[in-house]
Amino acid sequence: MTRDAPPEVLTSRLGYLFKHAHLRLAEESARALAPHGIDGRELAVLAVLDAHDELSQLEAAGKLGIDRTTMVALIDTLEGKELVERRRSPSDRRKNIVQLTAAGRERLRGAELARQEMERRFLAPLSSTDATRLVRSLQALVGAPASTGHAPDSV
Amino acid sequence: MTRDAPPEVLTSRLGYLFKHAHLRLAEESARALAPHGIDGRELAVLAVLDAHDELSQLEAAGKLGIDRTTMVALIDTLEGKELVERRRSPSDRRKNIVQLTAAGRERLRGAELARQEMERRFLAPLSSTDATRLVRSLQALVGAPASTGHAPDSV
DNA sequence: TATTGTTATACTCTATAACTATA
DNA sequence: TATAGTTATAGAGTATAACAATA
């Protein structure tokens, strides 16, 4: 795909800017996480599982905003890498409680450092105050909970 | 897909923020453009064709950053709506020059107003200075040409 | 009867390869 | 031999439907 410099008629559009910011970050993210053997979505799953104990597949999917059918394949992959374990909930045997293994916690730690370093590099073209303002503005636009408060999890 | 409030471990991630900002904007964009009978990408094509005269399909695709095979279907759709016309270039009969019809120019005008109004509403949670800073920061991150200058088109 | 996990299927979007006509 | 347009095909990603086990 031969790509010109984008014309101003595109770079003034919010849709173009969000899409390409996301694309560029996805590239950097893939590069940064490749040595750790996971992708960005798998890292998000590990982070959510680490932050909340005793989550079932469905509860974790709810927090991540992904479908339960998608979650099955994701957990299959992570279990294959021995980063998470499924076990039946004793109180409700329909549920699979998903937990990090020791290796999963260690992998999470290393990959999180790589992600933070990648984001720092990605935002390097901005002053640190502009970078902070960007993140705050994005959080306001996607309706994220206020960063000073605690996340109002509904589980 | 049952969606919880996103946990803080996600809303602090740049990847999550870009993706969901894009998703939310895409929803609003679809809603705003539906009455005009085109989607956001079709609008972008019309805008590029309007801004540059005598573009071939491949040249337009280059400016939009999309594949020439994707461009074929896009132009098919727009031609079916009688918003653009293909005509053979006299100087190189391999090329299709794509041009807006009178109806295409009119549709573009109305849809552009709808898009601008939609973006204004989308950014309403931010102060106007924060909104301006957000756009400037995104342009800096995406490597857009400086907004004060002219677009360095390579065609 | 409803819910959780699972599998199979369909659908969208995009990328790749190959064909044609022109150069 | 290379390029522009086109078509067909294949792949990733996601959504939908249906099924088994459990509540």
Side-chain angles (χ1 to χ4, degrees):
Chain A
M1 181 156 54
T2 319
R3 183 63 165 112
D4 291 354
E8 197 266 346
V9 70
L10 292 184
T11 59
S12 64
R13 286 159 193 263
L14 230 34
Y16 179 91
L17 292 171
F18 283 143
K19 178 179 181 180
H20 286 261
H22 185 223
L23 284 175
R24 272 215 43 207
L25 186 80
E27 281 175 35
E28 295 300 324
S29 176
R31 198 184 336 270
L33 292 180
H36 298 271
I38 59 176
D39 64 28
R41 196 167 57 161
E42 289 165 2
L43 176 57
V45 174
L46 295 183
V48 164
L49 292 177
D50 187 58
H52 307 268
D53 249 22
E54 302 277 312
L55 288 186
S56 73
Q57 287 187 202
L58 191 65
E59 289 160 351
K63 293 197 178 301
L64 289 156
I66 64 184
D67 198 82
R68 60 181 175 148
T69 64
T70 307
M71 185 56 104
V72 172
L74 253 172
I75 299 296
D76 282 348
T77 302
L78 291 171
E79 199 172 39
K81 294 175 183 173
E82 301 187 346
L83 303 177
V84 305
E85 282 174 347
R86 289 171 161 107
R87 61 179 183 79
R88 276 290 159 76
S89 166
S91 60
D92 183 344
R93 290 169 43 74
R94 291 173 304 184
K95 293 189 177 180
N96 279 346
I97 302 299
V98 189
Q99 283 182 317
L100 292 179
T101 63
R105 274 185 292 275
E106 199 162 328
R107 190 79 67 94
L108 170 62
R109 189 146 31 89
E112 271 295 297
L113 288 175
R115 179 187 64 80
Q116 286 163 22
E117 170 64 16
M118 178 275 292
E119 291 196 1
R120 202 190 54 66
R121 275 200 315 274
F122 186 84
L123 294 175
L126 306 180
S127 70
S128 74
T129 62
D130 276 352
T132 302
R133 277 198 275 249
L134 173 71
V135 171
R136 293 237 177 86
S137 292
L138 289 172
Q139 286 171 340
L141 292 176
V142 301
S147 58
T148 53
H150 49 293
D153 294 341
S154 48
V155 171
Chain B
M1 183 157 53
T2 319
R3 183 62 166 111
D4 291 354
E8 197 266 344
V9 70
L10 292 184
T11 59
S12 64
R13 286 160 193 263
L14 229 35
Y16 179 92
L17 292 171
F18 283 143
K19 178 179 180 181
H20 285 261
H22 185 225
L23 283 175
R24 272 216 44 206
L25 187 80
E27 282 175 33
E28 296 299 325
S29 176
R31 200 186 334 271
L33 293 180
H36 298 271
I38 59 176
D39 64 27
R41 196 168 55 163
E42 289 166 2
L43 176 56
V45 174
L46 296 181
V48 164
L49 293 176
D50 187 59
H52 309 267
D53 251 21
E54 303 275 313
L55 288 186
S56 71
Q57 289 186 200
L58 192 64
E59 290 161 349
K63 292 197 178 302
L64 289 156
I66 64 185
D67 197 81
R68 62 184 176 145
T69 64
T70 305
M71 185 57 106
V72 172
L74 252 172
I75 300 296
D76 282 349
T77 302
L78 290 171
E79 200 172 38
K81 294 174 182 174
E82 301 186 348
L83 302 178
V84 305
E85 281 174 349
R86 288 172 162 107
R87 62 180 183 80
R88 277 286 160 77
S89 166
S91 60
D92 184 342
R93 290 168 43 71
R94 292 172 301 182
K95 294 189 179 182
N96 279 346
I97 303 298
V98 188
Q99 282 181 316
L100 292 179
T101 62
R105 275 187 291 276
E106 199 163 326
R107 191 77 68 94
L108 170 61
R109 188 146 32 88
E112 271 296 296
L113 289 176
R115 179 187 65 81
Q116 286 164 21
E117 170 64 15
M118 177 276 292
E119 290 196 359
R120 203 189 52 66
R121 274 199 316 274
F122 185 84
L123 294 175
L126 306 180
S127 70
S128 76
T129 60
D130 276 352
T132 302
R133 278 198 275 248
L134 172 71
V135 171
R136 293 239 177 84
S137 292
L138 289 172
Q139 286 171 341
L141 292 177
V142 171
S147 58
T148 53
H150 49 292
D153 293 342
S154 47
V155 170

